[in-house]
Amino acid sequence: MRIRWLPWRLRVVAVTLPAAAAMFAAVALAPGPEDAEPMPVAPAAETSCLPVGPLTSVEDLNRLATKVRGGSEFQGADVGADVTLQDGRRLWVFGDTLRARDFEGQRFVRNSMLLFRDGCADVVLPADHGALIPDRKDGVGYWPMSVAKVERPGYDLVGVAAQRVRGASAPDGALAFENLGPAIAVFIVPAGKTPQLIRVRDIGRDLSGTTRPTWGAASAVQDGWVYLYGTANDGSAFGYSLQVARIRPDDILEPSRLRYWDGSRWQRDASRAAVLIPAQGGVSQTLSVFEQDGRWYAVSKRDEFLGTDLVVWSAPGPTGPFVAGPTVARIPSDERSGTLRYMPLAHPDLLPEKGTVVVSYSQNNADVARVDDNPFLYRPRFLRVTLPTP
């Protein structure tokens, strides 16, 4: 079914915890040894909506990104992973997010969320006006990579896979921070209500670097499984390799339940995970993997920041084998202007057309002062690409 996107307005919504969410958090998600502390959730201020016009085409999406000013709560950001909820709303999770100079709160946060519905785009803002997934007490933040949901009667469980990051306190792009390992944040979203963060869990101990896979660089839910794709780079190539693990949705906060594909079967040892796409000519650190019409696709920029080519790999199943198709677009960074173009992400159910997919890519500038003066430099851009045929 084609989704018609109606005129939107942007507003900030209160974050309150309904009784059902509180019960779920207390019973189903008891604390574990690798967790961040429980997150306090309290009401936040509410502002008027900002009309942004109809969004029924890729051109409309780019008009929003380049011409429509947001409120002080959201000026620009990277990532932009999304999922459609069972009530028809679309939830977007962003990474490093810039707020206006007059914003009363933290101006730069590691993550944020927009919730689109008929008439409004809501900024989900926590009471302390910080990051939606709060930083740890030691200052380590959570930079989202992918998002997936599981439907339950009357509500959705939304999992956000994030990197634990330490580094620059400005929107300098993915090269500006140190990756310490993955984490999972879980939100409960009652139908028609505000998303509520109920738990965050770090996966593994802090370990700087990218030689081990960062699980959750892409994620997909299919046939009762959550597939978590991991990317790794040992310094021998510009790109990242791709591996896959899977877990049942109810076990998402229990890393010991992960099973890793070793090329022939699912097993417990992460070190034996098979390489689905090699790092040489490989994917970006964060990417999209999804299923459409029985075929699986991985969408990424080949060779990360230093590459130019947007490529779609395809496979008969979630474990591959993934075969690269031809270059479908070129999104080079521009050293002369300082423009950075990176991390394309696919949006399979956004303005769907058979045989194609809408793709966004993050855009930034090497001059942080320019971004602060003009946040439009720090917003995603959109295009439609053709999916390869087997």
Side-chain angles (χ1 to χ4, degrees), residues 164-236:
R164 309 194 302 273
V165 297
R166 178 170 57 203
S169 58
D172 290 334
L175 293 177
F177 56 68
E178 181 183 13
N179 175 12
L180 301 178
I184 297 290
V186 176
F187 293 81
I188 187 170
V189 191
K193 304 294 185 181
T194 303
Q196 309 295 333
L197 175 64
I198 53 177
R199 279 291 297 282
V200 180
R201 181 162 189 173
D202 293 348
I203 298 177
R205 62 185 179 89
D206 289 354
L207 182 64
S208 179
T210 59
T211 57
R212 61 175 178 172
T214 301
W215 300 105
S219 59
V221 177
Q222 185 76 7
D223 296 332
W225 292 99
V226 179
Y227 292 92
L228 294 176
Y229 289 85
T231 55
N233 179 293
D234 64 3
S236 64

Side-chain angles (χ1 to χ4, degrees), residues 15-77:
V15 177
T16 56
L17 187 63
M23 182 176 65
F24 185 91
V27 176
L29 299 175
E34 299 180 33
D35 292 308
E37 291 189 0
M39 306 304 176
V41 181
E46 191 169 305
T47 66
S48 60
C49 296
L50 174 69
V52 297
L55 299 174
T56 58
S57 67
V58 170
E59 290 74 21
D60 287 341
L61 294 171
N62 283 319
R63 174 187 54 78
L64 171 63
T66 59
K67 297 184 182 302
V68 177
R69 292 194 174 274
S72 63
E73 303 83 10
F74 188 95
Q75 295 284 286

Side-chain angles (χ1 to χ4, degrees), residues 12-173:
V12 179
V13 296
V15 177
T16 56
L17 187 63
M23 182 176 65
F24 185 91
V27 176
L29 299 175
E34 299 180 33
D35 292 308
E37 291 189 0
M39 306 304 176
V41 181
E46 191 169 305
T47 66
S48 60
C49 296
L50 174 69
V52 297
L55 299 174
T56 58
S57 67
V58 170
E59 290 74 21
D60 287 341
L61 294 171
N62 283 319
R63 174 187 54 78
L64 171 63
T66 59
K67 297 184 182 302
V68 177
R69 292 194 174 274
S72 63
E73 303 83 10
F74 188 95
Q75 295 284 286
D78 60 10
V79 189
D82 72 314
V83 67
T84 301
L85 304 174
Q86 63 179 288
D87 61 15
R89 295 179 296 166
R90 183 178 294 275
L91 182 151
W92 289 73
V93 180
F94 293 90
D96 293 347
T97 301
L98 182 66
R99 293 160 171 172
R101 292 187 179 102
D102 61 355
F103 178 71
E104 295 182 0
Q106 194 173 338
R107 280 209 63 207
F108 172 75
V109 290
R110 285 297 185 194
N111 56 79
S112 63
M113 181 183 290
L114 299 183
L115 190 64
F116 293 104
R117 61 181 177 84
D118 293 351
C120 280
D122 300 329
V123 180
V124 183
L125 189 66
D128 65 358
H129 288 195
L132 188 62
I133 306 171
D135 294 350
R136 291 188 337 202
K137 287 184 176 180
D138 60 1
V140 170
Y142 295 91
W143 189 77
M145 299 180 294
S146 64
V147 59
K149 63 106 188 236
V150 176
E151 294 185 5
R152 296 286 188 261
Y155 65 93
D156 292 295
L157 287 177
V158 176
V160 177
Q163 292 182 48
R164 309 194 302 273
V165 297
R166 178 170 57 203
S169 58
D172 290 334

Side-chain angles (χ1 to χ4, degrees), residues 302-314:
R302 176 180 278 146
D303 286 338
E304 187 62 295
F305 278 90
L306 298 180
T308 63
D309 297 346
L310 175 61
V311 175
V312 182
W313 288 257
S314 64

Side-chain angles (χ1 to χ4, degrees), residues 315-386:
T319 60
F322 282 90
V323 177
T327 298
V328 294
R330 297 190 185 277
I331 48 174
S333 296
D334 186 344
E335 183 178 356
R336 184 176 60 180
S337 68
T339 300
L340 303 173
R341 299 183 181 94
Y342 56 102
M343 203 173 57
L345 297 175
H347 309 277
D349 58 353
L350 173 60
L351 304 175
E353 291 183 8
K354 190 173 180 60
T356 71
V357 67
V358 171
V359 174
S360 65
Y361 61 88
S362 294
Q363 184 163 281
N364 200 348
N365 194 278
D367 187 341
V368 176
R370 289 189 63 192
V371 174
D372 201 18
D373 289 337
N374 180 12
F376 289 119
L377 298 175
Y378 189 45
R379 289 189 180 181
R381 300 296 188 268
F382 295 85
L383 67 159
R384 185 182 294 278
V385 303
T386 300

